[in-house]
Amino acid sequence: MRKPIIAGNWKMNNTIAETKALVKDLIPLVKDAKCDVVICTPYTDLAAAVEATQGTNIKVGAENVHWAEKGAFTGEISAKMLVELGVEYVIIGHSERRQYFGETDETVNARMKAALAAGLKPIVCVGETLEERESGKTEEVVTRQTVAAFKDIDKDELDNIVIAYEPVWAIGTGKTATAEDANDTIKVIRDTMAKLYCPKCAEDRVRIQYGGSMNPKNASELMAMPEIDGGLIGGASLKAEDFSKVVNF
C-alpha cells in the first residue's frame, strides 16, 4: 500500500509570526492523521516551521532549490542550506516556477538530482495548461515532463520522491478536474513510471498527488480514486481548519 501524503504549498504567504500561529493551530488537528503531513513554506519561514513542528507528525518542505551546491546565483538557495535548517521535502518544477521564472524540464531534472544528493525528498510537479488540455495534449505533456524529470534518476531513489500532477488550469482558479479525469491522468503518469523503471516499482513505490485546487469539499472524492495518493494543497493549506479537513479526508 502506498501511504497517502498531503502537502501544503504556502507559496508567497505568511510571516514568521503567522507561521508559528498557523502551526500551533494545526498540530492538534492533524496529530492522528493516517497520511504523511507536510507544510512547504517560504524560505524565511522555514526555521520557524521546523522549530514549531519538532516532536510532531508534521514535516517541513521548501518551495524550490537550486541545482548548484554554491556559487554566484543571487537569490537562490542550495540543498545543503535547506538540509542544515532541518528541511525534509522540497517542491520542484511547480507550474508557477515554470510559468513565471523560466523553469524548464532540464532545470527540473537538475534540481531533482541536487535535492536527492543532499538527502531531500522532492515533490516534483507535472501538468498541462488549459491550451494543451483543450488541444488534446494532456497525455503527451505529462509524459514528456515525467520522463525529463526522472532522467538519470536511480530506481533506488523512488521511495524518496513524490510526483504531483498539477493541471495548470486548475491552480488557484477554483476549477478542478473531475475525480475521474484526475485519476486517469495520474494513471498515465504511473504507466510512464512503469516504463521508465518497472510495473511493480510504479505500483508499490511511486506516490502521485493531485495538485489542482483540492479542498475540504472535494478531498474525500479525489482521495477515493485508486491512483491518487494525496494532494499538493495551495489556498486550503493557509488555514489550519481547512488544511486539517483535507489531511483527515
Side-chain angles (χ1 to χ4, degrees), residues 18-243:
E18 290 167 339
T19 295
K20 292 177 179 178
L22 177 50
V23 172
K24 181 180 179 180
D25 290 342
L26 184 62
I27 289 171
L29 298 177
V30 301
K31 63 182 178 64
D32 298 319
K34 294 178 173 59
C35 63
D36 288 334
V37 183
V38 184
I39 54 172
C40 297
T41 82
Y43 294 132
T44 55
D45 296 334
L46 287 171
V50 169
E51 182 179 3
T53 55
Q54 286 294 314
T56 76
N57 61 324
I58 302 171
K59 305 299 183 183
V60 177
E63 297 178 13
N64 194 23
V65 64
H66 199 265
W67 57 80
E69 289 186 14
K70 59 182 178 180
F73 301 102
T74 301
E76 291 287 341
I77 302 291
S78 74
K80 183 178 180 181
M81 294 171 183
L82 295 177
V83 170
E84 186 179 43
L85 286 174
V87 171
E88 188 168 333
Y89 289 84
V90 60
I91 298 171
I92 295 175
H94 190 278
S95 62
E96 289 157 3
R97 299 299 310 176
R98 294 178 189 257
Q99 181 178 357
Y100 303 133
F101 303 105
E103 193 81 79
T104 66
D105 290 345
E106 290 73 25
T107 59
V108 167
N109 178 247
R111 294 181 202 274
M112 281 265 283
K113 290 174 181 174
L116 290 167
L120 293 170
K121 297 176 180 178
I123 299 174
V124 61
C125 303
V126 300
E128 81 282 17
T129 64
L130 182 60
E131 181 182 358
E132 290 166 338
R133 181 177 180 81
E134 290 180 341
S135 58
K137 295 182 178 179
T138 294
E139 290 191 22
E140 175 189 335
V141 171
V142 299
T143 299
R144 185 200 76 232
Q145 291 178 340
T146 302
V147 170
F150 283 85
K151 182 181 179 182
D152 300 325
I153 300 294
D154 193 270
K155 182 170 68 174
D156 292 342
E157 296 285 10
L158 293 181
D159 294 322
N160 298 317
I161 303 171
V162 178
I163 302 172
Y165 166 53
E166 297 189 309
V168 179
W169 51 271
I171 298 170
T173 64
K175 296 180 180 180
T176 310
T178 66
E180 291 76 15
D181 283 345
N183 190 72
D184 289 347
T185 305
I186 288 176
K187 179 68 161 60
V188 170
I189 298 169
R190 197 176 305 283
D191 289 345
T192 301
M193 293 297 289
K195 293 174 183 175
L196 288 175
Y197 297 96
C198 69
K200 185 171 176 57
C201 299
E203 183 62 30
D204 296 346
R205 299 172 58 195
V206 177
R207 294 192 291 179
I208 308 177
Q209 302 172 313
Y210 175 66
S213 296
M214 186 185 286
N215 58 58
K217 293 181 179 179
N218 62 24
S220 59
E221 181 185 10
L222 287 162
M223 290 302 297
M225 293 291 108
E227 298 293 342
I228 300 178
D229 302 320
L232 182 59
I233 316 302
S237 70
L238 298 175
K239 294 181 179 179
E241 186 174 352
D242 286 352
F243 189 54

